[in-house]
mmCIF file of all heavy atoms in Angstrom:
data_model
loop_
_atom_site.group_PDB
_atom_site.id
_atom_site.type_symbol
_atom_site.label_atom_id
_atom_site.label_comp_id
_atom_site.label_asym_id
_atom_site.label_seq_id
_atom_site.Cartn_x
_atom_site.Cartn_y
_atom_site.Cartn_z
ATOM 1 N N ALA A 30 1.554 -0.241 -19.741
ATOM 2 C CA ALA A 30 0.538 -0.875 -20.505
ATOM 3 C C ALA A 30 -0.441 0.061 -21.149
ATOM 4 O O ALA A 30 -0.775 -0.045 -22.284
ATOM 5 C CB ALA A 30 -0.258 -2.032 -19.645
ATOM 6 N N ARG A 31 -0.997 0.935 -20.343
ATOM 7 C CA ARG A 31 -1.932 1.902 -20.836
ATOM 8 C C ARG A 31 -1.332 2.823 -21.976
ATOM 9 O O ARG A 31 -1.943 3.127 -22.954
ATOM 10 C CB ARG A 31 -2.480 2.746 -19.763
ATOM 11 C CG ARG A 31 -3.426 2.034 -18.898
ATOM 12 C CD ARG A 31 -3.876 2.860 -17.615
ATOM 13 N NE ARG A 31 -4.865 2.118 -16.821
ATOM 14 C CZ ARG A 31 -5.194 2.322 -15.650
ATOM 15 N NH1 ARG A 31 -4.549 3.264 -14.917
ATOM 16 N NH2 ARG A 31 -6.111 1.598 -14.893
ATOM 17 N N ALA A 32 -0.087 3.084 -21.814
ATOM 18 C CA ALA A 32 0.644 3.885 -22.837
ATOM 19 C C ALA A 32 0.753 3.086 -24.151
ATOM 20 O O ALA A 32 0.574 3.685 -25.195
ATOM 21 C CB ALA A 32 2.075 4.321 -22.327
ATOM 22 N N ALA A 33 1.111 1.783 -23.936
ATOM 23 C CA ALA A 33 1.313 0.951 -25.066
ATOM 24 C C ALA A 33 -0.110 0.672 -25.806
ATOM 25 O O ALA A 33 -0.227 0.798 -27.026
ATOM 26 C CB ALA A 33 1.884 -0.405 -24.768
ATOM 27 N N LEU A 34 -1.160 0.552 -25.016
ATOM 28 C CA LEU A 34 -2.521 0.389 -25.656
ATOM 29 C C LEU A 34 -2.900 1.598 -26.453
ATOM 30 O O LEU A 34 -3.461 1.629 -27.560
ATOM 31 C CB LEU A 34 -3.549 0.059 -24.520
ATOM 32 C CG LEU A 34 -3.447 -1.356 -23.960
ATOM 33 C CD1 LEU A 34 -4.157 -1.436 -22.767
ATOM 34 C CD2 LEU A 34 -3.856 -2.361 -24.955
ATOM 35 N N THR A 35 -2.599 2.858 -25.837
ATOM 36 C CA THR A 35 -2.979 4.112 -26.502
ATOM 37 C C THR A 35 -2.124 4.223 -27.816
ATOM 38 O O THR A 35 -2.687 4.691 -28.770
ATOM 39 C CB THR A 35 -2.564 5.258 -25.550
ATOM 40 O OG1 THR A 35 -3.528 5.121 -24.325
ATOM 41 C CG2 THR A 35 -2.989 6.598 -26.148
ATOM 42 N N ASP A 36 -0.929 3.932 -27.642
ATOM 43 C CA ASP A 36 -0.032 3.990 -28.847
ATOM 44 C C ASP A 36 -0.634 3.147 -30.000
ATOM 45 O O ASP A 36 -0.548 3.488 -31.184
ATOM 46 C CB ASP A 36 1.285 3.658 -28.472
ATOM 47 C CG ASP A 36 2.307 3.801 -29.592
ATOM 48 O OD1 ASP A 36 2.305 4.872 -30.289
ATOM 49 O OD2 ASP A 36 3.261 2.904 -29.908
ATOM 50 N N ALA A 37 -1.030 1.965 -29.634
ATOM 51 C CA ALA A 37 -1.547 1.012 -30.574
ATOM 52 C C ALA A 37 -3.038 1.328 -31.099
ATOM 53 O O ALA A 37 -3.480 0.834 -32.176
ATOM 54 C CB ALA A 37 -1.493 -0.419 -30.066
ATOM 55 N N GLY A 38 -3.654 2.139 -30.439
ATOM 56 C CA GLY A 38 -5.050 2.420 -30.702
ATOM 57 C C GLY A 38 -5.951 1.246 -30.497
ATOM 58 O O GLY A 38 -6.924 0.994 -31.160
ATOM 59 N N VAL A 39 -5.595 0.483 -29.476
ATOM 60 C CA VAL A 39 -6.344 -0.669 -29.147
ATOM 61 C C VAL A 39 -6.991 -0.635 -27.664
ATOM 62 O O VAL A 39 -6.199 -0.105 -26.722
ATOM 63 C CB VAL A 39 -5.436 -1.973 -29.109
ATOM 64 C CG1 VAL A 39 -6.121 -3.288 -28.644
ATOM 65 C CG2 VAL A 39 -4.916 -2.270 -30.665
ATOM 66 N N ASP A 40 -8.178 -1.027 -27.545
ATOM 67 C CA ASP A 40 -8.811 -1.050 -26.178
ATOM 68 C C ASP A 40 -8.395 -2.181 -25.476
ATOM 69 O O ASP A 40 -8.275 -3.357 -26.038
ATOM 70 C CB ASP A 40 -10.304 -0.931 -26.283
ATOM 71 C CG ASP A 40 -10.995 -0.615 -24.896
ATOM 72 O OD1 ASP A 40 -11.237 -1.652 -24.293
ATOM 73 O OD2 ASP A 40 -11.319 0.548 -24.660
ATOM 74 N N TRP A 41 -8.213 -2.223 -24.184
ATOM 75 C CA TRP A 41 -7.805 -3.302 -23.292
ATOM 76 C C TRP A 41 -8.885 -4.496 -23.437
ATOM 77 O O TRP A 41 -8.415 -5.564 -23.438
ATOM 78 C CB TRP A 41 -7.723 -2.893 -21.854
ATOM 79 C CG TRP A 41 -7.700 -3.947 -20.753
ATOM 80 C CD1 TRP A 41 -8.608 -3.990 -19.803
ATOM 81 C CD2 TRP A 41 -6.896 -5.115 -20.690
ATOM 82 N NE1 TRP A 41 -8.381 -5.136 -18.956
ATOM 83 C CE2 TRP A 41 -7.216 -5.825 -19.591
ATOM 84 C CE3 TRP A 41 -5.794 -5.595 -21.464
ATOM 85 C CZ2 TRP A 41 -6.746 -6.939 -19.210
ATOM 86 C CZ3 TRP A 41 -5.258 -6.825 -21.088
ATOM 87 C CH2 TRP A 41 -5.705 -7.493 -19.964
ATOM 88 N N ARG A 42 -10.022 -4.062 -23.657
ATOM 89 C CA ARG A 42 -11.140 -5.150 -23.723
ATOM 90 C C ARG A 42 -10.982 -5.982 -24.962
ATOM 91 O O ARG A 42 -11.566 -6.980 -25.144
ATOM 92 C CB ARG A 42 -12.461 -4.459 -23.609
ATOM 93 C CG ARG A 42 -12.893 -3.934 -22.233
ATOM 94 C CD ARG A 42 -13.978 -3.100 -22.294
ATOM 95 N NE ARG A 42 -13.860 -1.855 -22.955
ATOM 96 C CZ ARG A 42 -14.718 -0.766 -23.063
ATOM 97 N NH1 ARG A 42 -15.790 -0.927 -22.370
ATOM 98 N NH2 ARG A 42 -14.415 0.285 -23.752
ATOM 99 N N ASP A 43 -10.260 -5.367 -25.887
ATOM 100 C CA ASP A 43 -10.003 -6.094 -27.251
ATOM 101 C C ASP A 43 -8.741 -6.905 -27.272
ATOM 102 O O ASP A 43 -8.405 -7.515 -28.338
ATOM 103 C CB ASP A 43 -9.954 -5.157 -28.422
ATOM 104 C CG ASP A 43 -11.370 -4.362 -28.511
ATOM 105 O OD1 ASP A 43 -12.372 -5.040 -28.300
ATOM 106 O OD2 ASP A 43 -11.345 -3.145 -28.831
#
Side-chain angles (χ1 to χ4, degrees):
R31 287 176 174 157
L34 289 165
T35 298
D36 185 44
V39 172
D40 189 276
W41 160 237
R42 290 167 293 187
D43 297 323

